[in-house]
Amino acid sequence: MRARADGQRHNHISQGSSVIGLSVAGTPAPDRTSPVPLYYQLAAALREQIRTGALRPGDQLPAERDLAERAGISRMTARQALADLVRSGDVISRHGVGTFVAEPKLTHDALHLLGFTEEMARVGGEVNSRVIEQGLYLPPLPVNSALGLGQDDDAVRIVRLRSAAGTPILLETSVIPSSLCPGLEEIDLKHLSLYALLATRYGHRLNSARQTIEAIAASEFEAELLQVAGGSPLLLLEGVAETEAGVPIEWFQAIYRADRVKIGLEHGREA
């Protein structure tokens, strides 16, 4: 999860948190003959320095006035570049303090069926869960159909807010047929992996999932829980997971902060 340094030279001025000195070599002068806007060119150059590790998490970027002077652009253009980096989650702006390189985004592995706990364990991250809702209910028809349930069959609905290192990352809803996991609604899931519990206690090992991924805007409810502004971009994953026996075991909806998570995919070309 850490950005990898590529060995290129970079100029740090270390005084507590480092303030980056942008050299001509480190940040090429914008190409004024290009149809690409100057702010976009500057944001792309800074984003590349973050990607390669020349700028590291916690590093402070120059103020917009200094950035403008060093890049030979207007303050308004520098402000646009910084705003673009904030929107993408590459940097964090702290009012009255400055702009700092953000921690690397969590990569959600959409290829392998892992729960949030397992994903964070892979990168050594700290996981916290807040159970917002957990109990029996009658699912709506689309969820019933996806899980192969009858009209009057109930299920366990679990809604959890998942955080990494104290930052809310994911609002997660799981709907599981109660007939397959009796008593699940009573189990304290604050410190447990749901997928591990399904395997060890109920004998249901997840094997595959069908899911869709789309971009959405945060509702007031989602924004409050995920600590983002209303209308902020979020990533919505929705689908059904099946056991090794091919039995639908979970309908899920995962809403990720787009500024803190990216989706990892792997594809092969059909012969």
Side-chain angles (χ1 to χ4, degrees):
M1 292 296 296
R2 291 189 176 275
R4 177 175 57 86
D6 65 351
Q8 294 180 348
R9 293 180 63 188
H10 53 280
N11 180 19
H12 289 287
I13 304 175
S14 298
Q15 294 178 345
S17 62
S18 54
V19 179
I20 305 307
L22 297 176
S23 64
V24 175
T27 304
D31 181 0
R32 297 181 182 277
T33 65
S34 171
V36 179
L38 297 180
Y39 87 88
Y40 194 89
Q41 293 184 49
L42 177 58
L46 292 170
R47 191 172 285 116
E48 178 65 12
Q49 290 193 23
I50 294 171
R51 186 190 69 80
T52 60
L55 299 183
R56 300 189 179 97
D59 282 342
Q60 183 175 0
L61 271 63
E64 64 181 44
R65 179 193 297 274
D66 294 334
L67 191 60
E69 290 178 355
R70 298 177 194 189
I73 56 177
S74 70
R75 286 188 63 179
M76 180 176 294
T77 300
R79 186 180 305 126
Q80 284 181 289
L82 292 174
D84 186 65
L85 291 170
V86 170
R87 282 193 299 270
S88 64
D90 293 296
V91 302
I92 298 172
S93 178
R94 297 172 183 161
H95 184 68
V97 180
T99 303
F100 300 83
V101 178
E103 290 293 327
K105 292 183 179 182
L106 168 69
T107 299
H108 170 67
D109 186 350
L111 179 65
H112 301 96
L113 195 55
L114 297 173
F116 185 72
T117 303
E118 288 86 356
E119 284 194 315
M120 293 305 298
R122 277 188 167 188
V123 298
E126 176 188 351
V127 179
N128 297 103
S129 297
R130 172 185 161 195
V131 179
I132 297 172
E133 180 183 351
Q134 184 177 354
L136 295 172
Y137 90 127
L138 289 175
L141 184 59
V143 177
N144 261 14
S145 177
L147 292 172
L149 297 176
Q151 183 176 353
D152 298 323
D153 292 338
D154 57 18
V156 180
R157 177 167 57 188
I158 302 165
V159 182
R160 293 180 292 174
L161 180 65
R162 319 300 297 277
S163 301
T167 300
I169 297 291
L170 165 65
L171 180 60
E172 182 180 55
T173 300
S174 297
V175 178
I176 297 172
S178 58
S179 61
L180 297 178
C181 303
L184 177 59
E185 70 276 9
E186 302 293 340
I187 298 176
D188 185 357
L189 295 173
K190 185 176 181 180
H191 301 293
L192 293 177
S193 162
L194 177 60
Y195 286 179
L197 180 68
L198 292 176
T200 58
R201 178 159 180 163
Y202 296 105
H204 301 306
R205 297 188 179 277
L206 278 66
N207 180 65
S208 62
R210 303 182 307 277
Q211 61 185 331
T212 59
I213 304 172
E214 62 180 299
I216 62 172
S219 67
E220 290 185 11
F221 174 70
E222 294 157 351
E224 180 180 358
L225 288 174
L226 292 169
Q227 297 180 11
V228 296
S232 295
L234 302 174
L235 295 171
L236 168 63
L237 280 67
E238 189 173 288
V240 177
E242 296 183 348
T243 67
E244 293 174 334
V247 177
I249 186 67
E250 179 198 28
W251 178 90
F252 61 86
Q253 183 184 77
I255 301 176
Y256 288 94
R257 282 179 52 165
D259 65 333
R260 299 307 311 137
V261 174
K262 56 185 178 181
I263 304 297
L265 298 168
E266 182 176 329
H267 299 284
R269 185 177 176 86
E270 292 185 0

